[in-house]
Amino acid sequence: MKSQYRVVVIGGGVVGCSVLYHLTKRGWIDVCLIERDELTSGSTWHAAGGFHTLNGDPNVAKLQEYTINLYREIEEASGQATGVHLTGGVMLVSNKERWDWLKMAHARNRYLGVATELISVAEAKKRFPIMDESRFIGAMWHPLEGHLDPSGTTHAYARAARNNGAEVVRKNRVVETHLRGDGTWDVITEQGTVHAEHVVNCGGLWGREVGRLAGLELPVLSMAHQYLITEEMPEVVAFNKQNGHEIVHCIDFDGELYMRQERTGMLVGTYEPNGEPWSPKVAPWDFSTELLPPDLDKIADNLARAFEHHPPLANAGIKNVIHGPFAFGPDGNPLIGPIRGLQNYWVAVGVMAGFSQGGGVGLALANWMVDGDPGFDVWAMDVARYGAFANMAYTNAKVIENYGRRFRITFPNEELPAARPLRTTPLYDRFKAMNACFGASFGLEQALWFAPKGKKPVEKVTFRRSNAFPIVGAECRAVRESAGLMEISGYAKYEITGTDAETWLSRMLANRMPPKGKLALTPMLNAAGKLIGDFTVAKAADDRFYIFGSGVAEQYHMRWFEAHLPADGRVSVRALSSGLCGLTVAGPMARNLMAKATGEDFSTAAMPFLSFREMDIGLVPAKVGRISFTGDLGYEIWVGNDYLLTLHDVLTRAGAEFGLAHFGGRALMSLRLEKNWGTWAREYRPIYGPYEAGLGRFVSLKKNDFNGRDGALREKEQGGKQALVTFCVDTKNVDVIGDEPIWHDGKVIGWVTSGGYAHWAQKSVAMGYVPKDIAGAESGFEIEIIGKRHAAHPQRQPLFDPDGARMRG
Ligand SMILES: Cc1cc2nc3c(=O)[nH]c(=O)nc-3n(C[C@H](O)[C@H](O)[C@H](O)COP(=O)(O)OP(=O)(O)OC[C@H]3O[C@@H](n4cnc5c(N)ncnc54)[C@H](O)[C@@H]3O)c2cc1C
């Protein structure tokens, strides 16, 4: 081991070795992996070695596909066998909801290019002979499934990296990590101190503990998990003899089981509902290539289901039980990327499916370190999707919940209960008393809709329209016909101050900065000119600005802002978080309401569209912007959280005579569809450029140079690859959720980003990306919703207020 490297990777599991390999592939060869014990001695060695591309996020699914296709490459680069068996697999379903889910997963695979097939139970039985056909109603064939040798694969990554020049040091625990003043790191190991430009935490089972060495509390927890291997089964032997190949992989969703052939028997794994964390507070350093004692009682119910669904298993002897821990993030997806505020510190932890995801994680992280950008849309894996709210108690509750739901459906309108309520605003109790149905976002409780008096605010989970449909419809109509009030405290708000605030913002953001007392809408772009933010900026004073954006991206945006702040201290950025709360009032009577509440002139002449003022509303000092995501005449009002209840009193009192009604997040999402407006993390993501996303009018190529300008200019000149189109869809009782394929003239050409029912316009609406040369077509589009194709018609003009007369007037 040398005393200095460009990168030190901590942890020699499949993830660390993949990161190491990918760094060398990108030309960074002065890199060293430091492993506490032997390679694989965390969770990797005892994995079942299964892989597939299935993931709720299509971008993660793509990276899983990359991982699977990588195994041949690392075998060749290393000369080490990975033991890959690409058997393909069947996914079995027993009920209608899961069948709907499968149809949607299959449809999504169409645009991901994964050739899945929906097959009959009889066809599935031919490939997975031990199943009892009567238990199932359908299946999906998935060609990119299989299994491999976990140890061989990890060593293949490591050897390939070594062949490229990397070093691997074993039997050497990292005991401390210290950030130097210049942003480089001292890595103190049992064998001495190493100085490194970058540190990568791939600590797996100890990812949390390795994070603590740098003062971090990462939201990961390891869970104890079991699979068993049977003795030889005659059914397996007979199948192999008859067909000349092994039995395929199987996921039995309702059985909560995964299965595959292992030698002449079967491997059966299961996720039980009441999973147990392993070392919920501190993972012991002396745990290594050992297993936890078998505990079949814990999975007895699941095993009983396995025997019912797959009867030959009931007669098979158990040869081996593997019971070991592995680490999860709160939502089950990995946590990767740079850490806000810790220069050159990177993580790749909580990778719960190392053999499906490890390659993609390694690729994305290596790109990120070398280029400053992962090169893909990794939002679903980005460590910055969690903020300070994701402490150990939150993480543990969420990981346990997620573990038990591994094979369960999470419906698009489902709000999971663990770790709630956590963050609340002062209005929480009041809204609760008003019958609000809440959802949590970035840990914050937010009203989704308000149940009428006497009805419970409980939403039935479904892929179709729920019991909340008519209620949300009434909320939308109230906004469009009189006035609505909604809490918007969940938006992210940032305060930018300092003498250079404007100059800096104008380099960070793509639009011109507004004059004092005005708002401007602006995208934020990365170096490649792709969308990494979609903001409203307010200029309150020459040296004071506010930015309003998506609440879930607060950590993500703060990481970016802070990394780009000048060192001279002439600009500072602060996330105001729940310290600044907000209400919006919108609808034709909103102006009268505001005038009544303040006694001020709210005419368009006095307070035009996109103006921003600091003023009193009754007793409450507030910041008021004339803008509304409803697309209507409306105002956003920001106050310190200690004023929120009083502001609510003032506005509801003033609004009584104008028919003021409360509305929630669901209605807002419906209303914005009527304006063809996209949202962050759906329509606006780093895989799209501003012109593709229809935000070109908010990019000012004529002002000073700004981040991503060259890329934006190129996109403008070349027209981009794709275009965001809004459609009205011919449906009766179902709307898009997101990720449905868009067909044109019988071919899948694009995908839906979001949509739903536009209640005021009474249309089912979908937004999505299609290739730019097809985007202008007026006919021939269809959108596949739960297995059925519906005609879709481009809606070029907003359904509501197409010329903006109401919004601006
Ligand atoms: C029973 C079971 C079955 C599974 N089945 C599958 C499956 O079928 N398919 C699948 O994809 N995944 C499966 N998994 C999950 C899989 O094992 C993990 O996704 C994978 O191992 C994660 O790899 P990792 O490199 O992140 O972590 P780990 O394998 O835990 O590696 C972390 C490494 O870091 C080292 N380390 C930690 N701290 C330090 C330090 N301070 N200094 C130096 N070194 C340090 C450790 O010694 C360890 O080697 C299974 C897991 C279990 C428990």
Side-chain angles (χ1 to χ4, degrees):
M1 185 173 75
K2 296 190 299 180
S3 60
Q4 176 121 8
Y5 295 92
R6 187 167 201 178
V7 181
V8 165
V9 176
I10 305 173
V14 63
V15 173
C17 292
S18 168
V19 169
L20 192 74
Y21 169 66
H22 283 92
L23 282 170
T24 62
K25 233 183 125 179
R26 290 298 319 271
W28 282 22
I29 53 170
D30 183 22
V31 292
C32 176
L33 182 147
I34 300 181
E35 164 55 43
R36 187 186 61 112
D37 194 347
E38 294 293 346
L39 295 183
T40 79
S41 65
S43 55
T44 295
W45 74 275
H46 56 236
F51 57 77
H52 54 77
T53 67
L54 207 65
N55 193 283
D57 183 287
N59 299 292
V60 178
K62 269 266 168 224
L63 286 175
Q64 294 191 182
E65 186 187 353
Y66 165 82
T67 303
I68 294 164
N69 291 327
L70 187 68
Y71 291 128
R72 294 283 170 239
E73 174 185 315
I74 57 166
E75 279 191 344
E76 276 167 27
S78 65
Q80 159 79 50
T82 59
V84 162
H85 293 226
L86 193 61
T87 59
V90 288
M91 296 183 176
L92 304 176
V93 302
S94 313
N95 60 57
K96 187 172 171 316
E97 278 76 27
R98 185 52 90 172
W99 183 234
D100 282 348
W101 183 91
L102 216 51
K103 282 194 241 172
M104 290 189 275
H106 173 58
R108 196 168 58 215
N109 282 332
R110 288 191 211 279
Y111 74 75
L112 289 175
V114 179
T116 46
E117 279 171 63
L118 295 179
I119 58 175
S120 67
V121 173
E123 185 54 39
K125 169 98 177 163
K126 282 189 204 152
R127 303 176 199 195
F128 194 74
I130 62 171
M131 64 190 261
D132 172 356
E133 285 168 80
S134 71
R135 301 273 170 187
F136 302 99
I137 63 167
M140 182 165 83
W141 168 250
H142 190 292
L144 279 185
E145 273 189 52
H147 59 96
L148 47 64
D149 165 19
S151 171
T153 300
T154 308
H155 280 94
Y157 276 125
R159 244 188 229 181
R162 272 201 305 253
N163 290 347
N164 289 346
E167 214 174 309
V168 174
V169 177
R170 294 173 297 114
K171 298 278 182 200
N172 185 23
R173 180 153 75 88
V174 171
V175 289
E176 289 175 40
T177 51
H178 297 293
L179 181 61
R180 288 189 182 182
D182 64 356
T184 62
W185 287 84
D186 283 323
V187 180
I188 321 290
T189 77
E190 288 170 335
Q191 293 174 20
T193 297
V194 183
H195 177 227
E197 204 177 306
H198 299 267
V199 169
V200 190
N201 173 354
C202 296
L205 287 181
W206 297 268
R208 195 181 45 181
E209 283 67 22
V210 172
R212 285 177 187 155
L213 302 179
L216 283 174
E217 190 61 38
L218 290 166
V220 282
L221 172 69
S222 297
M223 298 291 291
H225 178 70
Q226 292 183 88
Y227 65 84
L228 51 89
I229 295 170
T230 71
E231 303 279 7
E232 176 165 295
M233 290 170 60
E235 295 81 0
V236 174
V237 175
F239 180 91
N240 294 162
K241 208 164 166 190
Q242 207 173 342
N243 296 281
H245 61 79
E246 66 188 307
I247 294 179
V248 304
H249 245 246
C250 175
I251 292 178
D252 170 355
F253 286 105
D254 296 280
E256 311 205 288
L257 303 162
Y258 62 89
M259 290 163 283
R260 68 167 169 87
Q261 184 172 337
E262 172 71 18
R263 298 183 189 276
T264 50
M266 293 297 293
L267 179 154
V268 182
T270 186
Y271 286 82
E272 67 280 12
N274 302 311
E276 270 177 37
W278 175 74
S279 305
K281 294 201 163 139
V282 184
W285 289 113
D286 59 358
F287 187 86
S288 202
T289 40
E290 59 202 275
L291 291 171
L292 309 172
D295 184 357
L296 292 182
D297 283 350
K298 201 167 69 170
I299 56 170
D301 291 349
N302 292 41
L303 287 182
R305 258 199 318 274
F307 301 155
E308 282 167 15
H309 288 192
H310 310 281
L313 289 176
N315 304 321
I318 296 176
K319 188 161 80 181
N320 211 350
V321 176
I322 307 293
H323 192 190
F326 64 132
F328 292 74
D331 59 5
N333 269 338
L335 295 127
I336 76 166
I339 294 288
R340 174 184 164 197
L342 268 193
Q343 203 178 334
N344 293 346
Y345 191 93
W346 305 81
V347 297
V349 295
V351 185
M352 63 78 56
F355 299 97
S356 299
Q357 300 175 329
V361 163
L363 173 69
L365 200 72
N367 286 345
W368 215 333
M369 294 175 70
V370 173
D371 302 330
D373 189 275
F376 310 93
D377 187 337
V378 295
W379 169 249
M381 303 199 289
D382 192 331
V383 61
R385 70 190 185 280
Y386 290 100
F389 69 91
N391 62 7
M392 191 160 69
Y394 171 91
T395 301
N396 291 7
K398 278 295 184 197
V399 169
I400 291 166
E401 178 184 64
N402 180 67
Y403 180 92
R405 298 180 54 85
R406 173 90 177 108
F407 287 139
R408 303 216 171 150
I409 298 172
T410 300
F411 290 89
N413 66 337
E414 185 163 9
E415 293 289 334
L416 300 177
R420 294 181 57 199
L422 175 55
R423 297 175 60 214
T424 59
T425 73
L427 274 170
Y428 177 72
D429 287 336
R430 198 175 277 190
F431 280 2
K432 205 166 176 195
M434 287 170 59
N435 245 353
C437 173
F438 289 96
S441 178
F442 211 59
L444 183 74
E445 295 295 323
Q446 314 196 20
L448 298 176
W449 50 275
F450 292 84
K453 270 205 183 91
K455 294 235 159 122
K456 282 208 169 129
V458 177
E459 187 161 351
K460 291 193 190 110
V461 295
T462 174
F463 292 123
R464 295 178 168 76
R465 294 174 185 169
S466 79
N467 56 317
F469 183 84
I471 301 169
V472 172
E475 291 179 6
C476 291
R477 284 187 293 279
V479 174
R480 292 282 186 246
E481 287 160 15
S482 52
L485 180 152
M486 178 184 158
E487 181 174 19
I488 50 172
S489 304
Y491 292 9
K493 318 113 218 165
Y494 311 93
E495 186 182 63
I496 298 90
T497 50
T499 46
D500 282 357
E502 178 150 4
T503 317
W504 180 74
L505 276 174
S506 200
R507 284 195 64 87
M508 295 297 291
L509 306 175
N511 205 351
R512 280 181 204 286
M513 291 305 96
K516 208 183 306 180
K518 295 289 268 181
L519 300 167
L521 301 171
T522 174
M524 182 161 75
L525 308 180
N526 63 14
K530 300 288 184 192
L531 286 171
I532 53 167
D534 154 46
F535 298 128
T536 308
V537 190
K539 181 167 180 178
D542 286 337
D543 58 356
R544 184 163 51 91
F545 288 76
Y546 295 93
I547 294 181
F548 304 98
S550 165
V552 292
E554 183 183 287
Q555 187 82 342
Y556 172 82
H557 285 139
M558 279 305 286
R559 182 178 64 192
W560 182 262
F561 292 147
E562 287 174 353
H564 289 81
L565 276 179
D568 60 14
R570 284 148 69 112
V571 185
S572 44
V573 181
R574 206 156 58 98
L576 300 177
S577 211
S578 0
L580 192 71
C581 287
L583 296 176
T584 181
V585 287
M589 302 311 286
R591 187 195 322 271
N592 305 38
L593 185 157
M594 290 299 286
K596 172 114 201 241
T598 57
E600 299 273 340
D601 182 2
F602 267 79
S603 65
T604 297
M607 181 84 178
F609 181 56
L610 294 183
S611 47
F612 179 79
R613 279 165 64 185
E614 293 183 292
M615 62 192 300
D616 291 342
I617 299 184
L619 287 170
V620 179
K623 304 175 202 311
V624 181
R626 188 173 153 195
I627 192 165
S628 170
F629 199 45
T630 61
D632 219 310
L633 167 67
Y635 306 86
E636 289 180 355
I637 306 156
W638 301 101
V639 298
N641 61 7
D642 40 356
Y643 293 106
L644 186 65
L645 287 178
T646 311
L647 176 71
H648 184 250
D649 286 338
V650 174
L651 294 177
T652 45
R653 257 197 316 268
E657 69 179 271
F658 304 112
L660 180 71
H662 283 74
F663 67 105
R666 289 272 159 73
L668 185 69
M669 285 301 111
S670 166
L671 294 164
R672 62 95 194 181
L673 288 174
E674 294 170 350
K675 291 294 287 187
N676 295 6
W677 286 349
T679 55
W680 176 250
R682 277 293 179 183
E683 285 72 30
Y684 309 144
R685 300 182 69 132
I687 38 178
Y688 310 122
Y691 294 94
E692 294 176 330
L695 297 177
R697 64 191 184 285
F698 303 121
V699 175
S700 173
L701 293 167
K702 291 203 181 113
K703 67 161 191 174
N704 55 279
D705 194 15
F706 58 90
N707 284 348
R709 185 182 178 280
D710 293 348
L713 178 63
R714 227 177 6 258
E715 188 193 318
K716 187 177 183 195
E717 285 168 356
Q718 295 166 7
K721 291 199 182 99
Q722 56 214 342
L724 181 63
V725 177
T726 302
F727 297 94
C728 285
V729 193
D730 293 347
T731 65
K732 283 212 165 55
N733 59 356
V734 68
D735 305 298
V736 297
I737 297 159
D739 297 329
E740 292 85 355
I742 303 175
W743 296 70
H744 187 257
D745 289 349
K747 276 203 216 105
V748 172
I749 47 103
W751 57 91
V752 170
T753 43
S754 75
Y757 193 70
H759 285 274
W760 178 83
Q762 300 183 23
K763 299 267 187 205
S764 188
V765 173
M767 299 182 81
Y769 282 89
V770 301
K772 74 167 178 202
D773 47 332
I774 301 178
E778 288 307 327
S779 60
F781 292 102
E782 289 173 304
I783 294 181
E784 182 173 342
I785 310 178
I786 318 185
K788 196 167 163 224
R789 278 149 66 175
H790 301 260
H793 314 284
Q795 180 67 39
R796 311 284 179 197
Q797 290 293 313
L799 290 161
F800 170 72
D801 196 25
D803 55 2
R806 189 129 125 200
M807 179 174 75
R808 292 194 165 81

